[in-house]
Amino acid sequence: MQKTVLWSYIFIICLVAGLIGLYSIKISHHYHIQEFQDYVIKEGNMISKYLNMIYDIETEDVTKIDNFIKQTANDLELCITIIDKNGNVISSSEKNLYDINQKNMPEVQSALKGETIKIIRKNEIYNQEYIYIAMPITLNFETVVLCFSLPLLQ
């Protein structure tokens, strides 16, 4: 009888410890995602300021912007895309995004309304969960979307 009670207590203690461990992992995961998103928004604000300095208004040449976006995306290890108000890609660190209109993406729609949005959704191209952060910025006196993305499990 005492052995049964002892094993019951051990089982309950292990069960509670396991549940606490799982809950801690979930909280930690959520915290790290939130910290990452906040970091990317700060980077986005700095990128926005720099883009306006390097954009050639007279020729509307985006070569410098393309080079900067590709280098910055490489440094930050994430995808960066600039999208105009019609959903067309102005510049992207990913080559396969230029032919895809982005206007119907939820993060782009929100950013075009003036909101900075952070969402996690499935990327249809790669069939994987991604973190998306989109923010409205001004480039050449027009509102465009600066969008960051990163696979959730990397």
Side-chain angles (χ1 to χ4, degrees):
M1 172 101 177
Q2 288 181 349
K3 282 187 177 185
T4 305
V5 173
L6 177 64
W7 283 111
S8 296
Y9 281 131
I10 290 173
F11 174 75
I12 291 171
I13 290 170
C14 289
L15 180 65
V16 169
L19 291 174
I20 290 171
L22 289 174
Y23 184 69
S24 297
I25 290 170
K26 185 175 180 173
I27 288 174
S28 175
H29 178 72
H30 178 73
Y31 171 79
H32 288 295
I33 288 175
Q34 187 63 45
E35 285 294 309
F36 169 75
Q37 291 171 333
D38 292 344
Y39 167 76
V40 170
I41 289 172
K42 288 177 186 174
E43 290 291 328
N45 290 328
M46 289 189 297
I47 289 169
S48 172
K49 291 174 185 171
Y50 188 72
L51 287 174
N52 280 295
M53 291 190 314
I54 64 173
Y55 183 66
D56 189 348
I57 296 173
E58 292 176 9
T59 64
E60 296 186 357
D61 183 18
V62 294
T63 305
K64 289 180 182 177
I65 289 177
D66 277 337
N67 293 335
F68 173 71
I69 290 298
K70 286 180 176 90
Q71 182 61 50
T72 303
N74 186 49
D75 293 344
L76 296 176
E77 297 179 352
L78 45 80
C79 174
I80 302 174
T81 307
I82 302 174
I83 303 160
D84 71 12
K85 64 183 175 192
N86 299 315
N88 300 312
V89 175
I90 297 171
S91 180
S92 179
S93 59
E94 297 287 318
K95 294 175 187 160
N96 61 346
L97 293 180
Y98 284 95
D99 297 332
I100 303 170
N101 189 286
Q102 305 287 319
K103 187 158 188 154
N104 293 327
M105 302 301 176
E107 62 275 7
V108 174
Q109 290 176 352
S110 294
L112 287 172
K113 293 176 186 172
E115 304 170 33
T116 295
I117 186 167
K118 307 174 276 188
I119 64 170
I120 297 174
R121 69 170 177 81
K122 186 175 183 179
N123 180 303
E124 300 301 325
I125 296 171
Y126 299 114
N127 198 27
Q128 185 177 350
E129 292 286 312
Y130 270 67
I131 298 173
Y132 290 93
I133 301 162
M135 56 194 309
I137 64 169
T138 302
L139 184 63
N140 191 25
F141 306 105
E142 289 187 30
T143 299
V144 297
V145 177
L146 180 60
C147 188
F148 301 89
S149 63
L150 182 73
L152 188 56
L153 299 174
Q154 211 177 21

